[in-house]
Amino acid sequence: MSDAESAVSETEKNAEPVETVKDQPEAEKAADKAVQNEEQANKNTLEIVREESKKWEAQARESSAKLEDLQKQLDEARVKISSIQNSAEIDRARFAAAEKFGVPSEFLQGSNAEQFEESAKRLKDWKTHQDFSRTDTLSLGNEPAPAENEERKSQRFLLNVLKNSRH
């Protein structure tokens, strides 16, 4: 071995691991710093996730309230549609009975086809049994005067002659 090599090897042997010890606290500090950074990143991520979760929960509650409101509106609309359909069925039954018996539909009573037909039948029977040829009905003044018979004409003539003769 040369003198230079022996000097380097002796220096290496005599060298204390002082530099290694100095590097170790730096490494620990760096590791601690990395752990702290990772913990901080985890905390930040956790906070972000919590904030997003709260936003989604609020949106879910709002959507749920809207859904309930829309469900109520749908139920009300179904009730109205059902009512309209029932009314239409009743009107169809009323008009069918009126047409079948030839009577006005507004005079029919009932809530189903059988009742309307019975009412229409009674109305038709009443209409056909009415005696519209009665002469003792109330006069509205539109009827022509009754024809005078011969005796009445002669009485009128005599009254006119008497009135005219006094002058």
Side-chain angles (χ1 to χ4, degrees), residues 47-133:
E47 287 301 316
I48 291 171
V49 168
R50 282 184 183 157
E51 288 176 15
E52 287 295 315
S53 174
K54 287 178 183 179
K55 287 178 187 176
W56 285 105
E57 285 176 13
Q59 188 174 3
R61 280 192 291 276
E62 187 178 311
S63 296
S64 178
K66 286 180 183 178
L67 177 64
E68 288 177 14
D69 185 45
L70 290 173
Q71 188 64 42
K72 287 178 184 177
Q73 290 177 5
L74 178 63
D75 291 342
E76 290 172 1
R78 285 182 176 157
V79 167
K80 287 179 182 177
I81 289 171
S82 177
S83 173
I84 290 169
Q85 286 175 336
N86 289 341
S87 179
E89 288 176 18
I90 290 171
D91 287 344
R92 259 187 249 119
R94 175 183 288 124
F95 293 132
E99 186 177 343
K100 181 178 179 181
F101 289 95
V103 295
S105 63
E106 56 270 3
F107 295 120
L108 301 183
Q109 297 177 346
S111 59
N112 59 38
E114 294 83 25
Q115 292 174 349
F116 288 129
E117 285 191 10
E118 181 62 34
S119 178
K121 189 176 180 181
R122 285 193 317 264
L123 184 59
K124 183 177 181 180
D125 289 345
W126 175 83
K127 183 179 175 183
T128 56
H129 290 96
Q130 276 297 321
D131 181 19
F132 291 109
S133 63

Side-chain angles (χ1 to χ4, degrees), residues 134-146:
R134 293 178 42 182
T135 57
D136 60 345
T137 59
L138 179 63
S139 173
L140 299 176
N142 297 337
E143 296 89 10

Side-chain angles (χ1 to χ4, degrees), residues 1-15:
M1 257 201 286
S2 71
D3 288 332
E5 288 178 340
S6 61
V8 171
S9 61
E10 256 187 62
T11 310
E12 287 176 3
K13 287 181 186 174
N14 292 336

